[in-house]
Amino acid sequence: MTSPSPQQFAQSGSLDELYGKLGQVMMVPGWAKTAPSLWPEPKKTFSAHRWDYAQAKGALDAAGRLINTELAERRNLILQNPATGYATSRTIVAAYQMIMPGEKARSHRHTPNALRLIIDAEPGAYTIVNGEKLSMMPGDVVLTPNWCWHGHGNEGRACAYWLDVLDVPLVQLLDPMFFEPHPDEFETEIKVANNSPMHFAWADTQRRLAEADAASSGGAAVEIALGDPALDTMALSMIKLKPGNATPARKVMANNVFGVVQGEGATTADGETFQWRRGDVFVVPSWQEHTHHSAEGAVLFRATDEPVMTKLGFLREGNGKSAQ
Ligand code: 1HN
């Protein structure tokens, strides 16, 4: 079928006739669309949700019997948001991962930025980033930015468990996805870095949190940044919740994924409360008003896409009632 000529368009006698012709040339009358393209406030498509570390650990131990690192590039469990069956949040995906003693997970690189928060590990567990072997001990945070080679290994005696956080959904949305396996499978170690900018040691974090706590007067929590920001697309921080006080409610146009480093407590997001304890992960998607509480004190790790929202001019913080 030949598409309508300019004259045929110009001579359309009714809207229905016009719509019929437009349909043939992939044009849609903006005034007659059934689904609006603008809406007054974020739709909040994703749900706040908590994942249980004890369950994940059991599942990873079973996977340790059932699948090895020859077959699985990574032995990990993706934490899918229940509202969408997709990633953890609009821009961020999180996963629990485990590696057994004596195993090595092949090196690869990809454009998505990644980081890990170590939950349980003994000396000998490491991530190798661009040839530098970085130790992975509980509470440590290790970065693998955009296009850095990275693989994992475990020369210790115990299984190592950690949380991976990546901006994969954002990269999928924007399209610049590139991935490549390391040509040698495993990287050659070039040196052992003791204070790499890719590594945030738990001992340093603890000291900084204690200093921030001592310097604070009152308040429910102190928060320190890891990096400035750690990655182009994700900022990282550690939050020390003081015993007994709920944090002021925040409603921010950024996604927050939390990992529980120490202690236990509860978070309320848009009126729904869930309990958490060490190792658990929870997500508070953007624009959900949330507050944390811990009776005896706790430390939370936070990964957020705030740098993306800030760079694009989209970061807003509400007062819990309306946008400012
Ligand atoms: C990935 O490359 C790693 O390198 C972990 O350890 C988790 C989740 C989704 C996509 C890629 C890793 C991942 C991942």
Side-chain angles (χ1 to χ4, degrees), residues 73-78 93-97 105-110 112 114-116 127 144 150-152 162-166 168-169 172 177 179:
E73 178 105 359
R74 299 291 185 257
R75 183 187 291 111
N76 61 12
L77 303 173
I78 309 281
V93 66
Y96 282 114
Q97 183 168 169
R106 292 185 287 281
S107 281
H108 63 210
R109 63 180 176 180
H110 40 64
L115 63 103
R116 40 220 108 245
T127 285
T144 51
H150 59 282
H152 315 295
W162 65 84
L163 171 70
D164 294 300
V165 181
L166 300 94
V168 166
Q172 289 180 348
M177 181 67 80
F179 168 86

Side-chain angles (χ1 to χ4, degrees), residues 114-267:
L115 63 103
R116 40 220 108 245
L117 167 70
I118 317 313
I119 304 171
D120 280 312
E122 289 188 6
Y126 66 90
T127 285
I128 184 161
V129 183
N130 283 343
E132 292 190 3
K133 221 165 155 181
L134 307 174
S135 71
M136 296 202 289
M137 290 297 287
D140 289 357
V141 172
V142 178
L143 308 181
T144 51
N146 178 351
W147 215 234
C148 290
W149 293 114
H150 59 282
H152 315 295
N154 189 351
E155 293 161 351
R157 285 177 310 190
C159 294
Y161 304 81
W162 65 84
L163 171 70
D164 294 300
V165 181
L166 300 94
D167 58 9
V168 166
L170 178 69
V171 178
Q172 289 180 348
L173 183 74
L174 299 179
D175 271 348
M177 181 67 80
F178 294 89
F179 168 86
E180 105 186 332
H182 196 280
D184 305 327
E185 282 212 327
F186 300 103
E187 292 171 69
T188 311
E189 291 166 34
I190 50 171
K191 64 177 175 189
V192 178
N194 284 326
N195 63 6
S196 161
M198 305 291 176
H199 187 260
F200 298 92
W202 173 237
D204 292 339
T205 300
Q206 258 185 317
R207 182 183 43 77
R208 289 181 59 205
L209 281 174
E211 283 167 10
D213 195 5
S216 70
S217 49
V222 290
E223 183 164 14
I224 59 159
L226 307 182
D228 184 29
L231 297 159
D232 289 337
T233 54
M234 288 182 286
L236 312 179
S237 59
M238 291 279 187
I239 303 169
K240 181 171 182 165
L241 299 180
K242 302 190 188 194
N245 298 333
T247 58
R250 275 197 89 188
K251 180 179 178 182
V252 60
M253 196 53 234
N255 293 288
N256 285 308
V257 173
F258 296 93
V260 185
V261 180
Q262 268 185 354
E264 55 185 57
T267 293

